[in-house]
Amino acid sequence: MTTPIADYALLSDRHTAALVSRTGSVDWLCAPRFDSPSVLGRMLDPRAGHFVVCAGDPDAEVSRRYLDDTMVVETTWSGAAGTVVVLDALATGAADDPHALCAAAPRLLVRSVECTAGTVEVRIELVPRPEYGLVTPLVSLVEGGVQVRGGADVLVLSAPVPLQVAGAGATGTVVLRAGERVTLGLQHRTTSEPFPAPVPEAELDEALRTTIEAWRTWSRVHQGYQGPWRDLVHHSGRVLQALSYHPTGAVVAAPTTSLPEQAGGERNWDYRYAWVRDASLTLEALWVAACPDEAHQFFDYLAASSAAQVLGGDDLQIMFGIGGEHDLTERELGHLAGWGESRPVRVGNGAWSQRQIDVYGELLGAAHRLVAQLNPEHPGATAWREFLIGCADAAARRWQETDQGIWEVRGQPRHFLYSKLMCWVALDRAIAMAATLRAEDRVDGWRAAAEEIREAILTQGWSDTAKSFTQSFGSPDLDASNLMIGLVGFLPADDPRVLATIDAVAERLTDARGLVYRYRTEAGANSDGLAGEEGTFLLCTFWLAQALAASGQNERARQVFDRAGRYVNDVGLLAEEVDPESGDLLGNFPQAFSHIGLINAAWAIARAEQTG
């Protein structure tokens, strides 16, 4: 039986991530990076590997939570014979510097099991399958645990209890009485590195303790938001921190690949990369729920990844690998059944080669947020200025081109309104930063291009038939991205055309639950080049709440926010979409964009209520 997406919790050391189910099974772990092949992948196929630590009583009641101010999961099994508590964490390393959380992650999954009442049998099962399940490894007992070798991967399970090897895996049971505890650790290395020895239990306990303290120190130092939905906002900030890759500052869209937008469908994508389009929204969310340090690091990563393309006059790539890689060629893993038989399973993402002209606006919007902190005398300032000037010039030059749009449709390119809007944003923000960029001589040209874009959007992007701004020029179809028209300052948030667009989205682009679709996927003029349908999009629902708040409709904004916020799972995580029929979470998980939307909407509502 397929485990529901909402049944998982996220573990992270800011280098990679693991997903652990309510039943105590780690069903997703890529190592050593977010975008590495999985060594545990049961989430995408029953044969692709797992690591279970759970109570042996199948009738035990299960509850779980994140320990306060951390990304450490506590799962409690309460049965007739007793209670056992498991703490799961990807170890972060020492907590000396809260600004360097997970700087030296030891690549260690720690699972601590304690009996708190009665007597409980605990089941342990490790079935590793490296390279997305392609490799059946050699598993052998060593002193203090188990060693696994397969392909390029080496795993060592440290276990202070006897285990048995069978079927290219290891199993065992241990009976714990009240007050007794055992701690296990799973390390990853490659065959090019020295093989690690099992870690003594006392060191595993210390690694868990320092991880808890590291997350709490970071939260205490970095999280100051005090508005409505404070706990959700702070938790979402930690999720964004957990989805960031420490060595570069890249924020992955999600730590998973190919979790479907429709159960059994083909809309299955690899999200373990960083998108330029997320930049300004991510920076705003990091500013609210994390801190400027993370915001600066993320922008530095984007600039370093893309500057050469802009300065060379090439298309600005829309996404990059977490180390700054450009080639993200997509391929299908035909040996995997997919979550819930949703094929194909893909790694890489073909959208990397798409043309999306909105990215210039996202980059300039992100830079504008940081402009007060830019040091014009910094040694790298000249390169920054040239890069940002190049983005503005490209927006002025290319805004009339067709592209694939924000949603990366795989149909024919079109004149998407959102793409034109973000070209306007690029120019508007560049004009505002002209003195910092030392580009006053370009302002007249940028302003003229911005006015041309404005005229085109107002005349060709508005539909009298739809009584709304629409997805593309000359189309009657709605698109939730047009909610951004008032949010980016193109028109006042209470302009009648903005209000009409808000109402059109609320009335005609929502499901019975009041959640918002990105757009309608029916075949015809609005075809996106893919078969099947998708769920409602949580980011777009939060956009609706944010747009309502910006236009002074605070009560409606709160209602919409609460509708979307209702879909956090029991440990406060959001996927990309919601199934309009069942209400189940769909898509890659947890989804950074959904948590970004939550943070920015909560902040918008807080500001609206303070000023209203």
Side-chain angles (χ1 to χ4, degrees):
M1 180 178 177
T2 300
T3 300
I5 292 169
D7 276 12
Y8 287 98
L10 172 70
L11 309 175
S12 171
D13 60 6
R14 297 194 64 221
H15 291 253
T16 189
L19 293 179
V20 57
S21 73
R22 284 177 56 85
T23 57
S25 182
V26 177
D27 290 344
W28 187 250
L29 173 62
C30 298
R33 303 190 344 170
F34 288 104
D35 55 356
S36 299
S38 66
V39 294
L40 304 172
R42 181 158 69 174
M43 206 169 189
L44 293 179
D45 191 294
R47 302 161 297 177
H50 60 274
F51 178 22
V52 174
V53 176
C54 68
D57 179 3
D59 298 321
E61 294 185 3
V62 180
S63 62
R64 60 182 181 165
R65 67 182 184 108
Y66 281 105
L67 295 184
D68 291 346
D69 300 327
T70 77
M71 294 302 294
V72 176
V73 176
E74 177 190 82
T75 306
T76 301
W77 281 266
S78 299
T83 301
V84 68
V85 177
V86 176
L87 294 180
D88 286 322
L90 279 171
T92 64
D96 296 337
D97 181 1
H99 296 277
L101 176 63
C102 311
R107 292 154 63 186
L108 172 66
L109 171 63
V110 181
R111 313 198 71 181
S112 178
V113 190
E114 181 176 8
C115 180
T116 59
T119 301
V120 179
E121 181 182 84
V122 175
R123 183 167 70 89
I124 302 165
E125 182 177 78
L126 173 66
V127 181
R129 293 293 183 267
E131 291 189 44
Y132 300 112
L134 274 177
V135 175
T136 301
L138 299 173
V139 181
S140 56
L141 294 175
V142 296
E143 184 176 354
V146 172
Q147 184 182 86
V148 178
R149 297 179 60 185
D153 296 286
V154 176
L155 297 170
V156 173
L157 175 60
S158 305
V161 298
L163 299 174
Q164 299 79 43
V165 171
T171 62
T173 59
V174 59
V175 176
L176 297 179
R177 294 171 177 80
E180 294 180 336
R181 182 181 64 186
V182 297
T183 304
L184 301 95
L186 184 66
Q187 300 173 82
H188 175 269
R189 297 292 185 271
T190 65
T191 52
S192 62
E193 299 173 287
F195 289 5
V199 180
E201 190 173 19
E203 293 183 21
L204 294 175
D205 289 334
E206 178 63 13
L208 179 60
R209 187 196 67 76
T210 59
T211 298
I212 294 170
E213 180 58 28
W215 278 108
R216 285 179 171 163
T217 300
W218 181 88
S219 297
R220 182 172 63 252
V221 170
H222 294 276
Q223 298 198 294
Y225 174 82
Q226 297 298 324
W229 304 286
R230 175 185 177 276
D231 290 344
L232 275 177
V233 169
H234 281 195
H235 184 55
S236 290
R238 286 189 291 274
V239 171
L240 293 185
Q241 180 76 344
L243 295 179
S244 65
Y245 181 57
H246 180 274
T248 65
V251 178
V252 296
T256 57
T257 180
S258 300
L259 298 183
E261 297 173 13
Q262 180 186 34
E266 68 171 38
R267 297 168 182 262
N268 317 320
W269 316 111
D270 192 346
Y271 275 15
R272 298 172 297 161
Y273 308 110
W275 269 255
V276 174
R277 72 164 185 229
D278 302 2
S280 57
L281 298 176
T282 302
L283 286 178
E284 185 172 347
L286 287 173
W287 209 271
V288 174
C291 81
D293 292 334
E294 282 76 14
H296 276 279
Q297 191 183 18
F298 179 51
F299 187 81
D300 286 343
Y301 154 80
L302 289 175
S305 299
S306 57
Q309 292 178 325
V310 174
L311 297 175
D314 297 327
D315 283 351
L316 173 57
Q317 194 163 313
I318 69 164
M319 57 192 291
F320 298 94
I322 57 177
E325 299 85 357
H326 286 217
D327 186 352
L328 306 180
T329 300
E330 181 176 297
R331 62 190 176 95
E332 297 181 4
L333 301 181
H335 66 285
L336 294 178
W339 181 92
E341 299 292 323
S342 301
R343 290 184 174 91
V345 172
R346 296 179 170 97
V347 294
N349 195 308
W352 75 276
S353 59
Q354 286 187 354
R355 170 176 292 174
Q356 294 179 25
I357 60 174
D358 61 291
V359 290
Y360 302 109
E362 274 99 14
L363 273 172
L364 267 298
H368 185 255
R369 173 158 288 282
L370 299 176
V371 67
Q373 284 73 41
L374 297 181
N375 179 3
E377 305 306 322
H378 188 278
T382 298
W384 265 60
R385 288 195 296 269
E386 290 177 353
F387 166 57
L388 295 175
I389 290 168
C391 287
D393 287 344
R397 183 175 67 250
R398 307 187 62 181
W399 73 268
Q400 297 183 66
E401 298 176 8
T402 59
D403 71 346
Q404 306 303 131
I406 180 178
W407 307 127
E408 298 168 5
V409 301
R410 300 206 175 189
Q412 291 299 311
R414 280 180 274 163
H415 289 284
F416 287 99
L417 187 151
Y418 180 81
S419 297
K420 315 301 184 187
L421 174 68
M422 295 312 292
C423 285
W424 177 89
V425 168
L427 296 165
D428 179 76
R429 304 316 190 250
I431 292 166
M433 295 189 294
T436 301
L437 298 177
R438 299 177 182 174
E440 293 91 336
D441 60 322
R442 279 179 161 84
V443 167
D444 288 344
W446 288 344
R447 185 171 287 119
E451 286 303 314
E452 290 178 6
I453 298 172
R454 173 181 292 277
E455 179 65 19
I457 289 175
L458 294 178
T459 57
Q460 299 178 64
W462 174 265
S463 168
D464 288 330
T465 302
K467 294 183 173 56
S468 172
F469 288 104
T470 56
Q471 185 178 63
S472 58
F473 286 180
S475 166
D477 299 315
L478 299 180
D479 192 304
S481 64
N482 292 337
L483 293 168
M484 298 300 293
I485 289 173
L487 297 178
V488 300
F490 180 83
L491 287 174
D494 59 354
D495 182 279
R497 291 160 293 186
V498 173
L499 296 177
T501 300
I502 291 172
D503 288 341
V505 169
E507 294 166 9
R508 307 201 301 274
L509 209 57
T510 58
D511 69 353
R513 302 169 188 274
L515 303 180
V516 179
Y517 291 97
R518 295 187 295 180
Y519 53 88
R520 297 289 184 178
T521 57
E522 295 87 347
N526 198 32
S527 174
D528 56 13
L530 297 164
E533 300 179 357
E534 62 181 26
T536 50
F537 212 74
L538 286 165
L539 169 68
C540 296
T541 309
F542 286 120
W543 276 352
L544 177 58
Q546 189 176 354
L548 286 165
S551 65
Q553 302 178 72
N554 296 349
E555 186 55 37
R556 285 183 68 191
R558 274 186 167 268
Q559 291 170 359
V560 172
F561 185 100
D562 285 335
R563 283 181 212 145
R566 192 176 301 142
Y567 288 91
V568 297
N569 73 351
D570 59 323
V571 289
L573 300 179
L574 290 166
E576 182 178 35
E577 301 180 7
V578 174
D579 188 308
E581 295 183 4
S582 67
D584 294 336
L585 294 182
L586 291 172
N588 284 305
F589 178 83
Q591 174 72 280
F593 238 174
S594 298
H595 287 278
I596 289 165
L598 183 153
I599 293 167
N600 291 341
W603 189 41
I605 293 170
R607 287 180 297 166
E609 291 180 342
Q610 288 170 0
T611 59

